[in-house]
Amino acid sequence: MSGKGVVVVGSANVDLVLPVQRIPRPGETVLASGLSRGPGGKGANQAVAASRAGATTRFVVSLGDDEPGELLRAVLSDASVDLSLASTTTTPTGTAIITVDADGENAITVAPAANADLRLNHDTRAAIRAADVVLAQLEIPFDTVREAARESRYFVLNAAPAAALDDDLLADVDLLVVNEHEASVVAGTSDNPGEVLLKRVPAVVITLGGEGALVLTRDAEPLKVAAVKVEVVDTTAAGDTFCGVLAATLATGSELPEAVRRATVAASLSVQAAGAIPSVPTADDIAARYAEVYP
């Protein structure tokens, strides 16, 4: 590894979080017991997770020239995320509405706004080419994701929100990270989606929520990594914590199974606290829990 760490290419939002007894069904209105506002977005969450896990992390992001954008810049900088590659637009900063039920499960609606303006330039392309690991999601334009994949030496795609992906993009993906629903959408089938995906990308990690994660590669037998059993408070940033810590661990030269184990431990810590970025654990927290789980 070159020591250039992780570059995250992705979204940043201000999250409006509504705690509810249960997530409303279509056509139904429920009352929230409160309202909180804080930083989030899949890209921002993952960048903070990678940075707190110990990786030098640069964030390619588009933020509005507004108060929410300033909030996100302050929080990301405080988490030691390098924002020298961030761009500013007159479009408002992205916003997410998150309902969280009594069991910690969530439903999220995102207005991309400034995230839809994200494009690569000379500086961002150079940083991507130099990075050990590049991590992206699908809350930004597909063309930007596709270009980042082409420029990367090792490209990790978290295909969320779920979408059908063309072979032109997947040809440049080294590792695909999806949950069970996303796996079926990307594969185009719910019948052994992992096997179908392995024909299109060399490695797949399917996260299984409270059941852990499944690691699939073309040159090894499937590996099931068990979840760490904890009391769940809020799952909002669990998947993003997983992805960010996974990328950070891979950037150190660790093998994929080790990186998935560390990411699973980190995700178990994140679900024990409320909020997105506030719930992301530090490297010391991860190391302490990892030592307990894998003595």
Side-chain angles (χ1 to χ4, degrees):
M1 294 291 177
S2 68
K4 297 295 184 180
V6 175
V7 168
V8 177
V9 182
S11 59
N13 299 318
V14 168
D15 291 344
L16 301 178
V17 182
L18 301 168
V20 294
Q21 190 61 32
R22 58 183 174 80
I23 294 169
R25 294 184 289 269
E28 181 183 20
T29 298
V30 299
L31 296 179
S33 60
L35 170 66
S36 62
R37 176 177 179 265
K42 298 192 72 62
N45 297 341
Q46 292 178 14
V48 169
S51 180
R52 287 185 183 164
T56 299
T57 305
R58 306 181 77 182
F59 190 19
V60 179
V61 63
S62 176
L63 297 168
D65 184 15
D66 51 20
E67 186 274 335
E70 288 303 311
L71 169 66
L72 284 159
R73 286 180 180 275
V75 170
L76 290 161
S77 296
D78 188 58
S80 299
V81 175
D82 185 335
L83 292 176
S84 60
L85 301 174
S87 59
T88 303
T89 177
T90 56
T91 307
T93 297
T95 300
I97 308 296
I98 304 172
T99 52
V100 182
D101 71 14
D103 295 321
E105 293 298 328
N106 64 68
I108 304 174
T109 302
V110 176
N115 296 307
D117 294 340
L118 183 60
R119 302 291 187 275
L120 302 187
N121 57 34
H122 174 78
D123 291 339
T124 54
R125 291 186 195 98
I128 286 168
R129 286 193 292 268
D132 293 316
V133 175
V134 176
L135 171 62
Q137 328 76 36
L138 299 178
E139 289 183 342
I140 56 175
F142 273 31
D143 286 347
T144 303
V145 176
R146 186 176 288 107
E147 186 177 2
R150 283 198 301 266
E151 297 286 347
S152 302
R153 288 186 293 153
Y154 190 91
F155 185 72
V156 181
L157 177 62
N158 174 215
L165 302 177
D166 58 46
D167 289 334
D168 180 53
L169 170 57
L170 290 177
D172 292 315
V173 172
D174 297 287
L175 172 61
L176 181 68
V177 183
V178 285
N179 62 26
E180 292 177 278
H181 167 68
E182 293 155 358
S184 297
V185 172
V186 178
T189 178
S190 58
D191 184 18
N192 294 320
E195 293 182 14
V196 174
L197 291 172
L198 274 183
K199 296 176 182 178
R200 305 177 73 191
V201 296
V204 181
V205 173
I206 301 177
T207 57
L208 306 172
E211 298 302 314
L214 182 64
V215 183
L216 303 171
T217 59
R218 292 172 177 170
D219 56 359
E221 291 297 313
L223 172 67
K224 176 72 177 295
V225 175
V228 181
K229 300 302 181 182
V230 296
E231 183 176 343
V232 176
V233 173
D234 181 0
T235 62
T236 298
D240 294 334
T241 296
F242 182 98
C243 291
V245 174
L246 178 70
T249 308
L250 289 171
T252 68
S254 295
E255 297 296 327
L256 183 57
E258 166 66 15
V260 172
R261 284 191 286 268
R262 189 166 183 245
T264 300
V265 167
S268 76
L269 290 167
S270 76
V271 301
Q272 295 178 77
I277 286 175
S279 72
V280 176
T282 66
D284 288 343
D285 292 334
I286 297 168
R289 180 62 61 84
Y290 191 95
E292 295 173 359
V293 177
Y294 298 103

